[in-house]
Amino acid sequence: MAVKRKGLGKGLDSMIPNKNIREKKEEVATTVKESSEAGPNVVMLNINEVEPNRDQPRKNFNEDGIIELAESIKLKGVIYPIMVNKKDDYYQIVAGERRWRASKMAGIKKIPAIIRDLTDLETLEYAIIENIQREDLNPIEEALAYKQLLEEHNLKQDEVAERVSKSRTAVTNAMRLLKLDERVQQMIIDDMISTGHARALLAIDDKESQYILANRVFDEKLSVREIEKLVKSLKNPKKEDKKAKEDHSYLFKDLEEKMQEVMGTKVKVNAKGNGKGKIEIEYYSNSEFEHLFDMITSIKGE
């Protein structure tokens, strides 16, 4: 039976009791500045008391983008509050690390925040969902986040899919990328190859071969279809060898042309390998046949 897809963020109802997802989105979207405009759900925290979550699924932040955001914050303040967890002596970021980084760069002393009391699992789920909504995760970060939910929180793949509002197939396909050579994974992160190329490379078990082909994709600007053909040739070498032998007939082209000039008709050389083959000489009338016959027998007489 087909699994009914749910709206993005649906799993947050079970994560935060007595609060629905619409309320959460409204709170995150509350517009505030570093002033008395912050409402009752938003507090101004000393930025030095706020720390990022080491288990944050997003690991790569565009430095140029953060610099641009820092310039904007200098002019207009922090428009959207971050979300944090209260720890013993500090606040841990649940969502909004990019805004926090830009605020520190801008020299802001206090930052607007919504304080939550979440478990580690809820914190991770919230961070994944926020990043998926913003499309901030690269494919490897997304795959690692799913793996973390599976391994550290003992969830099954269908449970992970339910919590992040993705299909089970999407979660499975995302995690398959982690079977690639780590160097290939980094090429995905750096946008050197696409996930389409990467999935084609998954058909190869040898990590070194994966990396070599990935570099060919980047250097030669190969399409996904082209890399699929290369992978197929590696997986089926015997079939490809036979095809290669057939393709080697171009070596006899020069001989064919010289024979055609002498005989005045089309000549085809079919090489079978091991020094064997056959020569086909075409004729289009009885008189042409007689002419070719005379030509060949006269060679014997000489």
Side-chain angles (χ1 to χ4, degrees):
M1 187 177 74
V3 179
K4 185 178 180 181
R5 295 290 302 277
K6 294 180 172 55
L8 193 60
K10 185 72 174 178
L12 291 178
D13 288 347
S14 60
M15 292 161 49
I16 307 175
N18 302 321
K19 296 288 184 180
N20 58 47
I21 187 62
R22 180 177 297 175
E23 181 181 352
K24 294 293 160 278
K25 287 182 178 179
E26 289 173 351
E27 289 175 352
V28 173
T30 302
T31 301
V32 295
K33 292 184 180 180
E34 190 179 335
S35 66
S36 59
E37 293 177 15
N41 293 322
V42 179
V43 297
M44 303 303 296
L45 297 178
N46 186 323
I47 200 166
N48 292 323
E49 294 179 353
V50 179
E51 295 183 12
N53 178 7
R54 61 182 177 85
D55 293 326
Q56 148 80 279
R58 186 181 183 188
K59 307 299 182 185
N60 295 274
F61 294 85
N62 182 281
E63 191 67 22
D64 292 337
I66 291 178
I67 292 173
E68 290 179 6
L69 182 56
E71 292 300 319
S72 174
I73 288 174
K74 288 179 183 179
L75 295 174
K76 300 179 180 180
V78 181
I79 303 302
Y80 298 104
I82 64 173
M83 186 176 294
V84 298
N85 254 342
K86 180 67 176 76
K87 296 295 184 180
D88 292 336
D89 55 352
Y90 70 98
Y91 296 91
Q92 180 191 66
I93 298 173
V94 176
E97 183 174 338
R98 183 171 175 271
R99 277 162 280 162
W100 173 79
R101 286 172 178 250
S103 296
K104 293 201 75 173
M105 185 178 291
I108 300 298
K109 302 300 182 184
K110 291 189 175 182
I111 188 169
I114 299 170
I115 301 175
R116 290 281 174 246
D117 183 17
L118 306 176
T119 65
D120 290 342
L121 174 57
E122 291 168 343
T123 298
L124 178 58
E125 288 175 335
Y126 222 132
I128 292 173
I129 290 170
E130 193 232 12
N131 280 302
I132 288 176
Q133 286 177 335
R134 294 175 177 270
E135 298 183 347
D136 283 339
L137 297 179
N138 64 56
I140 300 302
E141 288 174 333
E142 184 176 350
L144 288 171
Y146 296 152
K147 181 181 179 182
Q148 189 175 356
L149 286 172
L150 283 168
E151 295 182 354
E152 294 185 16
H153 299 284
N154 299 316
L155 297 179
K156 296 178 181 179
Q157 281 199 12
D158 54 349
E159 292 175 319
V160 171
E162 173 70 19
R163 288 176 182 268
V164 300
S165 296
K166 290 272 190 176
S167 70
R168 190 180 188 279
T169 301
V171 172
T172 300
N173 286 337
M175 292 186 61
R176 287 180 67 228
L177 296 177
L178 299 180
K179 295 180 180 179
L180 291 167
D181 183 271
E182 290 184 0
R183 294 168 294 179
V184 178
Q185 293 182 36
Q186 188 61 48
M187 291 176 74
I188 298 172
I189 294 172
D190 295 337
D191 285 329
M192 295 174 68
I193 63 172
S194 71
T195 53
H197 290 111
R199 291 192 181 98
L201 293 173
L202 282 167
I204 301 175
D205 296 326
D206 182 67
K207 298 294 181 70
E208 189 64 29
S209 296
Q210 290 176 356
Y211 181 59
I212 292 171
L213 280 182
N215 277 285
R216 284 194 62 181
V217 169
F218 180 72
D219 293 336
E220 301 175 26
K221 303 296 184 289
L222 299 178
S223 67
V224 173
R225 189 173 184 84
E226 287 172 328
I227 197 65
E228 287 174 344
K229 288 182 178 179
L230 282 173
V231 170
K232 186 177 179 180
S233 70
L234 288 174
K235 298 286 286 185
N236 303 286
K238 291 183 179 180
K239 293 181 180 179
E240 292 301 317
D241 285 347
K242 182 178 179 181
K243 183 178 179 182
K245 288 178 182 178
E246 293 173 354
D247 290 340
H248 286 167
S249 60
Y250 72 89
L251 296 173
F252 297 92
K253 281 293 182 183
D254 184 55
L255 293 175
E256 287 179 352
E257 291 175 0
K258 289 180 178 179
M259 293 171 72
Q260 285 174 177
E261 288 178 5
V262 172
M263 296 188 172
T265 188
K266 185 175 180 180
V267 178
K268 178 71 174 177
V269 177
N270 291 317
K272 296 181 179 180
N274 297 322
K276 298 179 181 180
K278 62 181 179 179
I279 300 173
E280 296 179 0
I281 304 173
E282 295 188 10
Y283 63 93
Y284 306 98
S285 67
N286 289 333
S287 61
E288 282 191 22
F289 174 77
E290 291 174 359
H291 172 70
L292 292 170
F293 178 78
D294 291 341
M295 184 182 298
I296 295 171
T297 55
S298 66
I299 295 174
K300 181 179 179 182
E302 293 176 358

